[in-house]
Amino acid sequence: MGAMSVRSQSSEPSEATHRAGFACFVGRPNAGKSTLTNALVGQKVAITANQPQTTRHTVRGIVHRPDAQLILVDTPGLHKPRTLLGERLNDVVRTTWAEVDVIGFCLPANEKLGPGDRFIAKELASIKKTPKIAIVTKTDLVDSKTLAEQLIAIDQLGQELGFEWAEIVPVSAVADQQVGLLADLIVPLIPEGPALYPEGDLTDEPEQVMVAELIREAALEGVRDELPHSIAVVVEEMLPREDRPADRPLLDIHAFVYIERPSQKGIIIGPKGKRLKEVGIKSRKQIEALLGTPVFLDLHVKVAKDWQRDPRQLRKLGF
């Protein structure tokens, strides 16, 4: 009788073999982390940009599979801190790395290993328990000889620092090569357990934070060199407009773009307010696409003196 009941249970989807856990991708700016996240999740979740530190908040993409649920935690880039914000980001990074189940280190196939990669790998070596996968990204940009050399160099980097990669996987998110394989290799490294998020969820990032991120991206476009990090966006409120018919909803969003110095105000606003208007139009379209509802966006620029160095301002701005 015992054997039969065991068999009848196992013919149903067995709870025991389902896995759920957290992974994070690390790597130098532009190593392909966000593109890879988007390819795995199958939807645009993370905010891609060629600039370090644009993903300030923990955006999570969620990969739903019949046998597993993989939650991708996006840590800000680890870098040598120059400011209080930098130090705080680094603390966040180390805490996150120690808490996730798997760390994927993204290394572009088309760039030789550099000091930035070594700096990150050294930090990874100090986190003993967490399995580390080396992910060689952008393989569509190189020939097989270059790729082979990169794989060997990465293997040696682990040996030098005294740890072993759980896997070394070449992928191309753009050409959709081996992305599924990467997920297959990560899944056995995460713990057994039921799904942690409902099926429909792609990201548990609060909508307000994602909206702020989209506005920040639009505001930085074209002026990155002049204002690389000295801009923060706070969404003060998001409220459905009252007295609207159910089939014609409108969401009012009030947001502030904070800059460090009055001299930067003109850069953001542009001649006769033209630039800020463009920022508003561009980010409104993206916000509408993200939330699936028409939006009225009210944008204001404010000066918050030297916010990157002021702990009180940092807290207020959500860091």
Side-chain angles (χ1 to χ4, degrees):
M1 186 68 208
M4 260 184 68
S5 67
V6 168
R7 212 169 32 242
S8 68
Q9 272 176 346
S10 65
S11 67
E12 293 161 28
S14 144
E15 280 301 301
T17 56
H18 188 279
R19 292 175 181 272
F22 295 84
C24 75
F25 294 145
V26 304
R28 282 182 294 128
N30 219 1
K33 302 183 289 288
S34 297
T35 316
L36 186 58
T37 301
N38 297 338
L40 277 163
V41 176
Q43 292 240 1
K44 190 173 190 310
V45 203
I47 311 293
T48 52
N50 301 334
Q51 199 67 7
Q53 275 177 263
T54 40
T55 337
R56 281 266 164 80
H57 300 269
T58 310
V59 180
R60 296 183 178 89
I62 302 170
V63 183
H64 297 279
R65 296 166 48 126
D67 61 332
Q69 186 177 67
L70 178 61
I71 298 127
L72 303 173
V73 187
D74 200 29
T75 52
L78 187 84
H79 54 99
K80 298 195 164 98
R82 286 191 307 277
T83 59
L84 179 64
L85 175 62
E87 282 169 39
R88 195 165 293 182
L89 283 172
N90 283 358
D91 292 343
V92 170
V93 173
R94 290 192 188 92
T95 326
T96 308
W97 289 1
E99 287 168 359
V100 296
D101 302 301
V102 185
I103 300 170
F105 185 12
C106 295
L107 298 132
N110 61 333
E111 295 174 35
K112 282 202 165 23
L113 299 187
D117 298 316
R118 282 178 190 284
F119 178 70
I120 296 172
K122 251 201 195 99
E123 291 286 337
L124 287 180
S126 68
I127 294 165
K128 300 274 186 270
K129 289 198 175 81
T130 317
K132 302 167 236 344
I133 292 183
I135 305 165
V136 186
T137 57
K138 309 188 183 189
T139 54
D140 53 302
L141 301 178
V142 298
D143 58 21
S144 52
K145 182 172 172 288
T146 312
L147 180 58
E149 285 166 3
Q150 187 74 320
L151 295 173
I152 292 164
I154 290 168
D155 185 42
Q156 284 172 339
L157 179 64
Q159 286 176 20
E160 266 170 53
L161 295 170
F163 69 89
E164 199 173 327
W165 300 107
E167 304 279 353
I168 301 179
V169 196
V171 301
S172 166
V174 174
D176 198 25
Q177 286 164 346
Q178 306 231 91
V179 174
L181 171 71
L182 174 63
D184 294 343
L185 294 171
I186 293 175
V187 166
L189 300 172
I190 62 176
E192 290 187 7
L196 301 167
Y197 288 87
E199 179 72 55
D201 287 9
L202 287 170
T203 169
D204 83 335
E205 185 70 7
E207 286 177 343
Q208 257 166 277
V209 174
M210 291 183 82
V211 165
E213 204 55 75
L214 288 171
I215 296 169
R216 185 167 184 271
E217 273 300 293
L220 274 174
E221 203 151 292
V223 295
R224 282 186 194 282
D225 301 343
E226 299 162 85
L227 311 168
H229 307 307
S230 46
I231 169 171
V233 175
V234 175
V235 173
E236 291 285 323
E237 54 177 19
M238 286 172 46
L239 296 167
R241 173 102 37 113
E242 287 173 18
D243 313 326
R244 295 282 294 197
D247 57 341
R248 291 186 42 239
L250 183 67
L251 188 65
D252 281 317
I253 299 180
H254 300 278
F256 289 102
V257 178
Y258 284 96
I259 48 184
E260 287 190 296
R261 291 185 288 283
S263 60
Q264 298 168 335
K265 212 166 173 172
I267 300 173
I268 288 286
I269 294 175
K272 295 200 173 125
K274 186 164 165 274
R275 201 168 170 281
L276 189 64
K277 205 177 197 163
E278 284 166 7
V279 169
I281 291 168
K282 179 162 195 228
S283 50
R284 194 190 78 234
K285 283 190 182 136
Q286 293 181 320
I287 295 164
E288 289 179 339
L290 173 77
L291 303 177
T293 173
V295 162
F296 172 79
L297 179 61
D298 177 41
L299 268 191
H300 293 278
V301 180
K302 275 190 172 179
V303 179
K305 266 185 104 57
D306 292 327
W307 62 262
Q308 294 203 12
R309 288 181 172 71
D310 175 351
R312 211 186 58 228
Q313 298 269 22
L314 281 173
R315 269 199 303 280
K316 196 174 103 193
L317 299 174
F319 300 118

